[in-house]
């Protein structure tokens, strides 16, 4: 039995192309069964499908495997791609670049570079040591959590390519503009002294020549690390989204987060900052809010503030930034998010 188990574990690396083709086919086949499967499960329990409980139950039974499958698939693929964009390579690409162009590059690299709040400090230190300008560093730190592959894939799966591209453009715009503004303010003096006084290092990168099999193993490792960490937030977000979907009246949500309430956008940003979740956890909530009549601009502002301005990340960054620089960072990013919310509520 142990020989068979060991052989099954090794065959993806022995036949990597065949494994990828079969895995994609199995994933797609299972994905197509999610909607009829959720309806069949609701029909099998003594609950009226048209009732609030029936609607909430169907939402939870459909969205839970859907989000987990989308997340697992995209994290696996991006785990393979991320082997090309390690933090070392990212620093090497950005070091020595002038501001402006470098802000755009940093924001774009944030989409494909693995990042979480716990890695904010080591990434920040590495960028400073490599001589990456402060504003460019912030463009990366804003883009990486907010416009990541998980957010874009889940938005595409739930709302279609138009909303996903809209969020992509908005997120990159906020990251580029906020980083450029912070760079223009010349706030290097508000780094913590021990960070500012660190010796500079050369930003080098050596390609290890990873094979396709190695990259597949990197995909498995990414799934274990990322999905293993975020699945409780996913379940919590979907459960809250199911309650909103089944029990919150549409008129109430439209009045609370609709276009007519001018204060809905700043309130959404204030509500989002103290929340501790990520794109995988907040997108099911966004889906339910939109279905209940919330305005798109307000919901996008809420989502961006949750992901880009989370309180835990601010606490972590306090190790390397003085309070004035943190306050400036929050103020600049929040202003961009507010502008996004107001503009899209006005034009859509």
């Amino acid at each position: 039995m142990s020989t068979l188990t060991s052989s099954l574990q090794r065959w993806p690396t022995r036949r990597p192309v065949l494994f990828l083709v079969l895995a994609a086919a199995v994933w797609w086949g299972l994905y197509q069964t999610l909607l009829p499967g959720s309806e069949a499960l609701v029909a099998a329990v003594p609950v009226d499908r048209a009732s609030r409980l029936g609607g909430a139950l169907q939402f939870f039974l459909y969205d839970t495997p859907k989000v987990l499958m989308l997340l697992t698939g995209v994290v696996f693929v991006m785990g393979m791609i991320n082997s090309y964009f390690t933090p070392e390579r990212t620093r090497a690409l950005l070091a020595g670049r002038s501001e402006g162009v470098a802000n755009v590059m940093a924001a774009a690299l944030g989409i494909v570079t693995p990042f979480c709040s716990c890695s904010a400090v080591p990434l920040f230190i590495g960028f400073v040591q490599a001589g990456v300008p402060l504003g460019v560093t912030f463009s990366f730190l804003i883009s990486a959590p907010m416009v990541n592959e998980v957010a874009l894939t889940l938005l595409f799966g739930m709302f279609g390519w138009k909303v996903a591209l809209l969020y992509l453009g908005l997120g990159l715009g906020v990251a580029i503009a906020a980083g450029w503004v912070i760079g223009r303010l010349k706030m290097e003096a508000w780094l913590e002294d021990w960070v500012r006084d660190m010796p500079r290092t050369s930003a080098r990168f050596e390609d290890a020549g990873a094979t396709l099999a190695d990259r597949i193993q990197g995909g498995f490792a990414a799934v274990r690390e990322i999905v293993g960490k975020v699945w409780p937030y996913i379940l919590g977000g979907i459960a809250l989204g199911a309650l909103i979907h089944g029990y919150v009246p549409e008129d109430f949500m439209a009045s609370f987060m609709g276009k007519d309430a001018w204060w809905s956008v700043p309130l959404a940003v204030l509500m989002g900052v103290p929340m501790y979740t990520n794109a995988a956890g907040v997108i099911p909530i966004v889906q339910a809010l939109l279905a209940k009549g919330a305005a798109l601009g307000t919901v996008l502002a809420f989502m961006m503030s949750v992901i880009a301005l989370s309180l835990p990340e601010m606490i972590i960054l306090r190790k390397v930034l003085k309070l004035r620089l943190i306050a400036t960072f929050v103020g600049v990013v929040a202003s961009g998010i507010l502008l996004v919310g107001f503009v899209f509520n006005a034009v859509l």
Side-chain angles (χ1 to χ4, degrees), residues 2-20 211-217 220:
S2 60
T3 303
L4 177 60
T5 302
S6 177
S7 178
L8 289 174
Q9 290 175 342
R10 290 197 306 268
W11 84 268
T13 60
R14 290 178 174 176
R15 306 289 296 276
V17 175
L18 177 61
F19 167 76
L20 292 176
T211 65
L212 179 59
D214 295 330
R215 302 194 194 284
I216 288 176
Q217 292 300 318
F220 282 131

Side-chain angles (χ1 to χ4, degrees), residues 190-336:
W190 297 99
L191 294 170
E192 286 291 342
D193 295 341
W194 69 271
V195 177
R196 194 172 59 250
D197 296 336
M198 285 188 308
R200 295 296 182 261
T201 60
S202 114
R204 297 179 179 177
F205 172 77
E206 296 182 2
D207 193 345
T211 65
L212 179 59
D214 295 330
R215 302 194 194 284
I216 288 176
Q217 292 300 318
F220 282 131
V223 169
R224 287 192 298 269
E225 179 179 357
I226 297 176
V227 179
K229 287 181 179 178
V230 306
W231 70 264
Y233 302 106
I234 294 175
L235 293 183
I238 294 173
L240 181 56
L243 290 174
I244 295 171
H245 180 82
Y247 291 94
V248 175
E250 291 189 13
D251 293 341
F252 171 79
M253 192 53 65
S255 65
F256 186 67
M257 299 187 74
K259 294 182 180 180
D260 296 333
W262 66 267
W263 39 264
S264 65
V265 175
L267 180 61
V269 173
L270 289 175
M271 291 171 57
V273 170
M275 292 186 65
Y276 182 55
T277 187
N278 44 46
V282 76
I283 288 177
I285 302 174
V286 167
Q287 181 185 21
L289 291 175
L290 288 175
K292 288 297 182 178
L296 179 60
T298 303
V299 171
L300 286 176
F302 171 74
M303 178 177 172
M304 286 181 167
S305 65
V306 169
I307 301 174
L309 291 176
S310 69
L311 185 60
E313 184 178 347
M314 298 304 105
I315 294 173
I316 292 172
L317 285 174
R318 178 63 185 88
K319 298 177 182 178
V320 292
L321 309 179
K322 294 181 179 179
L323 289 176
R324 184 168 179 175
L325 183 49
I326 291 179
T328 302
F329 166 64
V330 172
V332 171
V333 176
S335 298

Side-chain angles (χ1 to χ4, degrees), residues 37-107:
S38 65
E39 294 289 356
L41 287 173
V42 174
V45 298
V47 174
D48 183 4
R49 175 64 178 84
S51 67
R52 291 181 175 181
L53 178 58
L57 186 61
Q58 194 276 334
F59 183 97
F60 184 82
L61 292 176
Y62 174 60
D63 269 44
T64 299
K66 177 181 179 180
V67 170
L68 287 173
M69 285 192 66
L70 284 170
L71 183 63
T72 300
V74 72
V75 167
F76 177 81
V77 173
M78 293 309 299
M80 296 176 62
I81 295 175
N82 285 338
S83 61
Y84 295 96
F85 295 96
T86 62
E88 292 77 15
R89 171 171 279 183
T90 303
R91 288 199 300 269
L93 288 172
L94 296 178
R97 305 278 182 176
S98 60
E99 291 184 284
V101 173
N103 289 103
V104 176
M105 286 184 60

Side-chain angles (χ1 to χ4, degrees), residues 64-186:
T64 299
K66 177 181 179 180
V67 170
L68 287 173
M69 285 192 66
L70 284 170
L71 183 63
T72 300
V74 72
V75 167
F76 177 81
V77 173
M78 293 309 299
M80 296 176 62
I81 295 175
N82 285 338
S83 61
Y84 295 96
F85 295 96
T86 62
E88 292 77 15
R89 171 171 279 183
T90 303
R91 288 199 300 269
L93 288 172
L94 296 178
R97 305 278 182 176
S98 60
E99 291 184 284
V101 173
N103 289 103
V104 176
M105 286 184 60
L109 285 170
I111 301 174
V112 296
T113 304
F115 177 88
C116 64
S117 295
C118 59
S119 61
V121 168
L123 275 172
F124 192 93
I125 293 172
F127 281 17
V128 170
Q129 283 190 302
V132 177
L134 185 62
V136 175
T137 298
F138 273 109
S139 285
F140 179 84
L141 291 179
I142 296 166
S143 172
M146 184 166 65
V147 196
N148 59 64
E149 70 276 10
V150 174
L152 295 176
T153 301
L154 296 184
L155 284 171
F156 172 76
M158 292 184 173
F159 304 113
W161 64 269
K162 291 183 179 180
V163 173
L165 286 179
L166 173 65
Y167 185 80
L168 171 63
L170 294 175
L172 287 177
V174 170
I176 293 167
W180 185 85
V181 169
I182 292 173
R184 295 297 88 202
L185 293 175
K186 303 296 182 183

